[in-house]
Amino acid sequence: TIERTFSIIKPDATNRNITGAVNAVIEKAGLRIVAQKRVLWSREQAEKFYEEHAQRSFYGELCDFMTSAPIVCQVLEGENAIAKYREVMGATDPAEAAEGTIRKLFALSKGENSVHGSDSPTSAQREIALNFSDSEIVG
Ligand code: CMP
């Protein structure tokens, strides 16, 4: 099935000017970038996006980081896009990420880990709707 997933290129990657290098890995994996915009999230947007993590010890740090610099929000489309992008990203902790994955190549730490990708169809739908209007997605 052709799916859509939500992706973020995080501040550690925009700061290092490697958004194109991340996109090259995404496209080489066969995922299509069908929406993309560079934005600076407000605190409210970050807190809402990550609300499921509100009780976690790293929630404050996570929201600080995600509002510290611009991010690139994307919708990726392709066969099994949700699971495929999680493979392409690699493990949350770059020390555990497989060779060739975005996080193995670029991530600095568990927090500064270069990219986000939706973890399920329900999350993908929610995360896309929070960040894009239908007319901004052109498949
Ligand atoms: P993401 O997929 O964007 O969604 C939740 C984020 O929490 C995750 O990526 C990590 O970057 C972040 N995260 C997970 N564990 C930690 C941690 N121990 N310290 C800081 N951030 C974390």
Side-chain angles (χ1 to χ4, degrees), residues 10 50 53 58 61-62 86 92 103 110-113 115-117:
K10 295 187 179 184
Y50 283 117
H53 298 303
F58 56 79
E61 186 188 325
L62 175 61
R86 294 197 57 95
T92 301
R103 286 167 171 162
K110 256 193 265 186
E112 295 190 308
N113 65 355
V115 283
H116 165 85

Side-chain angles (χ1 to χ4, degrees), residues 35 37 128-137:
K37 62 184 172 192
I128 291 169
L130 276 174
N131 291 283
F132 287 100
S133 62
D134 286 347
S135 65
E136 290 178 307
I137 305 169

Side-chain angles (χ1 to χ4, degrees), residues 21-121:
V22 172
N23 278 349
V25 179
I26 290 171
E27 291 184 332
K28 197 160 181 209
L31 292 163
R32 303 185 70 85
I33 302 166
V34 296
Q36 176 167 262
K37 62 184 172 192
R38 181 175 171 105
V39 295
L40 181 61
W41 267 356
S42 67
R43 184 81 193 181
E44 291 66 35
Q45 282 175 292
E47 288 177 352
K48 174 88 184 152
F49 184 83
Y50 283 117
E51 66 187 6
E52 71 175 303
H53 298 303
Q55 303 311 317
R56 309 284 283 272
S57 59
F58 56 79
Y59 180 64
E61 186 188 325
L62 175 61
C63 294
D64 288 344
F65 171 59
M66 293 300 290
T67 56
S68 67
I71 59 175
V72 177
C73 294
Q74 304 173 312
V75 179
L76 308 182
E77 186 177 87
E79 189 67 31
N80 297 316
I82 297 166
K84 177 177 265 186
Y85 189 47
R86 294 197 57 95
E87 269 183 47
V88 171
M89 288 194 298
T92 301
D93 183 347
E96 291 163 20
E99 286 302 325
T101 62
I102 292 169
R103 286 167 171 162
K104 177 71 176 189
L105 288 166
F106 303 120
L108 304 175
S109 67
K110 256 193 265 186
E112 295 190 308
N113 65 355
S114 304
V115 283
H116 165 85
S118 308
D119 64 4
S120 68

